[in-house]
Amino acid sequence: EVQLVESGGGLVQSGGSLRLSCAASGFTFSSYDMSWVRQSPGKGLEWLSYISSSGDTTYYADSVKGRFTISRDNAKNSLYLQMNSLRDEDTAIYYCNRGGWLADWGQGSLVTVSS
Amino acid sequence: DIQMTQSPSAMSASVGDRVTITCRASQDISNSLAWFQQKPGKVPKRLIYTASSLQSGVPSRFSGSGSGTEFTLTISSLQPEDFATYYCLQHHSYPRTFGQGTQLQIK
C-alpha cells in the first residue's frame, strides 16, 4: 500500500522558513516523480512543484518560484520542500503526491504563516 | 501557462440525478486531464485520468470524456456519498493547473 506521510508543518512568522518532509513507503520511491500541492483554508487546490525520479528536473508554480525548493533523497525514500521568505498567503495544508499526475496523496501538513 | 475553467462553480442536485461538470482548457491539452473529488476535511482523491480512464476502485457511475480543450465529468446517478467538491487538473504540461472547483450540494 502506498503511504505518504508529511511532517514539518507548524506556525512560522512572515519572512521565516520551514522545511516540509514526506516519507514514502509501499512503492519503489526512486522510480517515481513526485509533486507538492497545497490548499489554503476554504480555497481550491494549487499545484506547487514537481521533481523527477532522479531529481534532475524540477518545476515550480510562479507563486513560489525563487522562494521554495523541492528536493529528494532516494536513499531515504523522502521528499522535501524548503520554503523561504514565507508570506501570509502561504498558509495552507501542503500535500505530498506520487507522480506527475497526482495519483496518490499524503494526509497533508498544515503550515500557518503569521505576521 | 494553461488556464483551466470549471463550470458551474456550484450546483445542487438530488440523489439519482445525472450530473455533468465541465472543464475548459485555455489551449489544446489532448486528453491530459484528471478529475478529483474532495469531501470536507478529507484528502482529494483522483477519480479519472487521461480524460476518461477510471481510477481503480472508483464506482462506474463516474465517467469522463473530452479532448482538446473541453472535458466533462459525469455522474450517472448521484449517490449521497457523491456530494463533494470536484476539481479538474491538466497534466499536459508544467506548471500543472487546477480548475477552481465545483461544489456539488444536496438539493
Side-chain angles (χ1 to χ4, degrees), chain B residues 24-63:
Chain B
R24 289 187 174 85
S26 60
Q27 63 189 73
D28 189 338
I29 59 169
S30 185
N31 68 339
S32 301
L33 188 99
W35 289 98
F36 296 83
Q37 176 194 64
Q38 187 179 31
K39 298 180 181 179
K42 301 295 186 183
V43 177
K45 171 187 169 183
R46 193 174 73 174
L47 302 174
I48 303 275
Y49 59 97
T50 56
S52 60
S53 299
L54 195 66
Q55 185 73 29
S56 175
V58 172
S60 58
R61 63 181 179 274
F62 290 92
S63 64

Side-chain angles (χ1 to χ4, degrees), chain A residues 35 37 39 43-47 50 59-62 95 100-103 105-108, chain B residues 1 34 36 38 42-46 49-50 55 87 89 91 94-100:
Chain A
S35 305
V37 171
Q39 186 170 35
K43 302 294 186 183
L45 301 171
E46 181 185 12
W47 177 88
Y50 157 94
Y59 297 108
Y60 297 93
D62 287 345
Y95 295 102
W101 295 4
L102 313 186
W105 297 57
Q107 289 300 306
Chain B
D1 298 359
F36 296 83
Q38 187 179 31
K42 301 295 186 183
V43 177
K45 171 187 169 183
R46 193 174 73 174
Y49 59 97
T50 56
Q55 185 73 29
Y87 296 92
L89 166 83
H91 54 80
Y94 288 98
R96 300 289 199 236
T97 39
F98 285 96
Q100 75 273 28

Side-chain angles (χ1 to χ4, degrees), chain B residues 9-26:
Chain B
S9 55
M11 64 181 298
S12 58
S14 302
V15 172
D17 283 353
R18 180 182 181 88
V19 166
T20 298
I21 298 168
T22 298
C23 193
R24 289 187 174 85
S26 60

Side-chain angles (χ1 to χ4, degrees), chain B residues 39-107:
Chain B
K39 298 180 181 179
K42 301 295 186 183
V43 177
K45 171 187 169 183
R46 193 174 73 174
L47 302 174
I48 303 275
Y49 59 97
T50 56
S52 60
S53 299
L54 195 66
Q55 185 73 29
S56 175
V58 172
S60 58
R61 63 181 179 274
F62 290 92
S63 64
S65 64
S67 66
T69 61
E70 188 149 341
F71 302 86
T72 58
L73 172 71
T74 300
I75 309 172
S76 59
S77 178
L78 208 56
Q79 298 302 300
E81 60 267 30
D82 300 336
F83 291 95
T85 300
Y86 293 84
Y87 296 92
C88 62
L89 166 83
Q90 64 83 14
H91 54 80
H92 177 76
S93 62
Y94 288 98
R96 300 289 199 236
T97 39
F98 285 96
Q100 75 273 28
T102 296
Q103 188 175 27
L104 178 54
Q105 298 171 312
I106 300 174
K107 185 182 287 183

